[in-house]
Amino acid sequence: MPVSDNQLVEMFEHVLTLSKVKPSESVAILKSHYSNPRIVQAAFNAAQRLGASVYGVELPALNPPKAMGNDMTAYCGDTPLTGNKAAQTALEAADLIVDTMMLLHSPEQEQILKTGTRILLAVEPPEVLARMLPNLEDKERVMTAEKVLKNAKVMRVTSEAGSDLTMALGQYPTVTEYGFADEPGRWDHWPSGFLFSWPNETTANGTLVIDKGDILLPFKIYCREAINLTIKDGFITDIEGGFEAEYLREYMAYFNDPEVYGISHVGWGLQPRAQWTAMGLHDKNDGMCMDARAFDGNFLFSTGPNTEVGGTRKTPCHMDIPLRNCTVEVDGQVVVNKGEVVS
Ligand SMILES: [Fe+2]
């Protein structure tokens, strides 16, 4: 249901306080023409109420020729910040950036984070921000899971639908998202609540069955029929099933790039206020559907690039695929049992 402007400002005050914004700090609000003006204004107002020095940075939109649709998670590559040194310098000067336009991970953004600047992404609709307003328990839940994933050597995912996928871990870092940016150089996303890493190169092997009801992002559809993915040495080699399998095959083939079939981040959802059902109540352009990525006990599988953590796979096509009812084992320890988080 609609959220008032007053409530939106209060929520931003809460999240910026969790993000440790102090009166001595500078807060930059990053926006473009397609940013939600209510979110931009609420971020401004909240930062001011906390006594911070606040300023805006507006960047032009960027439409890569091969991108389809409006979902910013669908296409990885250059961002409006690429090559824009002056804007980068203006953003590096901030202690915290509220990103209302969604800069996907880029070398420029990584450079900003390296200076100690924190970044908080906030692009979902206000009612989604309200339902998943972060708190300290969200952080504790995710950081407890991080202790398990951080030093893990192997992840295995099984399901009654027929999944049995194994991958080695350790080559790439573990990333946590809990909804606020409270450490120097931290990037986070409100709303969120999950963690992930990337399989070691060439080690993911097995079968992943995307079952009826599982979600394909950025298509924002619930599968009506199972899709069988065969995965060999880190790449999807076969996509079989009904209509959704055919759609996925066609979409990935459109990029004409063998690297789209690589396995990207893998992890599990830990946000009890995120709902598997929420996507059905929203239009596709409402947001990026963090409910699907974060709902408690999902296995979040993805395809495509791994350059954001120093890998070499640079491909524009990125699919996030949250699955239900999976069992996720990390070094033999069950962390999700048939879609239920093991505390
Ligand atoms: Fe992703």
Side-chain angles (χ1 to χ4, degrees):
M1 301 299 279
V3 168
S4 73
D5 286 340
N6 188 45
Q7 187 186 347
L8 197 51
V9 174
E10 280 178 359
M11 294 192 309
F12 259 100
E13 256 192 273
H14 170 82
V15 177
L16 294 184
T17 301
L18 285 174
S19 298
K20 297 184 177 164
V21 170
K22 295 178 194 69
S24 58
E25 289 196 321
S26 292
V27 174
I29 314 298
L30 174 63
K31 61 173 184 163
S32 190
H33 77 273
Y34 56 83
S35 294
N36 181 335
R38 295 184 60 218
I39 290 179
V40 172
Q41 195 55 52
F44 258 97
N45 292 353
Q48 272 194 300
R49 285 173 65 130
L50 292 171
S53 302
V54 60
Y55 61 102
V57 175
E58 181 158 1
L59 294 179
L62 183 76
N63 179 36
K66 274 207 136 179
M68 288 196 285
N70 288 330
D71 191 308
M72 301 289 288
T73 66
Y75 196 94
C76 301
D78 287 349
T79 73
L81 200 56
T82 305
N84 194 337
K85 198 88 181 90
Q88 187 178 333
T89 304
L91 292 168
E92 283 174 9
D95 295 294
L96 180 126
I97 300 164
V98 179
D99 177 359
T100 69
M101 65 179 291
M102 187 155 182
L103 284 181
L104 273 175
H105 294 283
S106 62
E108 292 79 10
Q109 184 172 287
E110 295 309 308
Q111 189 54 42
I112 290 168
L113 293 168
K114 272 190 195 140
T115 68
T117 296
R118 329 193 278 288
I119 301 180
L120 180 69
L121 177 66
V123 291
E124 289 283 67
E127 61 273 24
V128 176
L129 298 179
R131 178 160 42 78
M132 289 190 272
L133 190 68
N135 56 46
L136 289 171
E137 290 77 49
D138 291 336
K139 177 177 178 179
E140 195 181 316
R141 205 179 309 113
V142 172
M143 296 313 285
T144 302
E146 191 218 20
K147 285 182 198 148
V148 178
L149 186 57
K150 190 167 64 176
N151 300 311
K153 295 283 176 273
V154 63
M155 179 185 281
R156 184 177 177 212
V157 180
T158 54
S159 70
E160 284 176 6
S163 295
D164 194 346
L165 176 65
T166 304
M167 52 219 133
L169 300 174
Q171 184 176 350
Y172 296 113
T174 292
V175 175
T176 57
E177 291 187 24
Y178 46 75
F180 47 96
D182 57 344
E183 304 286 343
R186 179 171 179 83
W187 182 96
D188 211 312
H189 185 183
W190 168 28
S192 201
F194 57 96
L195 79 168
F196 49 91
S197 188
W198 286 254
N200 296 357
E201 298 293 347
T202 74
T203 66
N205 279 290
T207 302
L208 191 73
V209 179
I210 303 165
D211 204 5
K212 182 176 169 181
D214 292 337
I215 291 171
L216 298 177
L217 301 170
F219 307 156
K220 301 191 178 97
I221 56 173
Y222 295 99
C223 282
R224 305 290 174 128
E225 297 171 90
I227 305 172
N228 278 272
L229 302 182
T230 304
I231 296 165
K232 283 187 183 147
D233 301 334
F235 285 83
I236 297 167
T237 56
D238 196 38
I239 303 172
E240 287 300 325
F243 166 73
E244 284 92 2
E246 183 187 351
Y247 190 94
L248 182 60
R249 264 198 316 269
E250 278 287 312
Y251 178 78
M252 294 179 92
Y254 160 75
F255 291 88
N256 194 26
D257 174 3
E259 301 213 310
V260 305
Y261 300 103
I263 311 307
S264 187
H265 58 84
V266 288
W268 65 96
L270 286 165
Q271 177 51 273
R273 300 189 301 289
Q275 299 302 314
W276 166 69
T277 52
M279 193 177 73
L281 290 101
H282 280 279
D283 293 331
K284 289 197 181 194
N285 285 332
D286 277 0
M288 55 182 279
C289 208
M290 287 302 285
D291 274 288
R293 288 179 179 83
F295 71 81
D296 215 31
N298 77 21
F299 168 59
L300 181 56
F301 173 82
S302 75
T303 64
N306 64 358
T307 48
E308 68 180 280
V309 281
T312 56
R313 221 167 36 250
K314 189 175 194 294
T315 179
C317 175
H318 180 54
M319 298 286 309
D320 281 322
I321 304 177
L323 292 89
R324 297 185 302 160
N325 305 318
C326 290
T327 294
V328 181
E329 287 169 64
V330 174
D331 287 350
Q333 179 182 351
V334 176
V335 290
V336 176
N337 184 27
K338 296 181 182 174
E340 300 282 335
V341 173
V342 177
S343 60

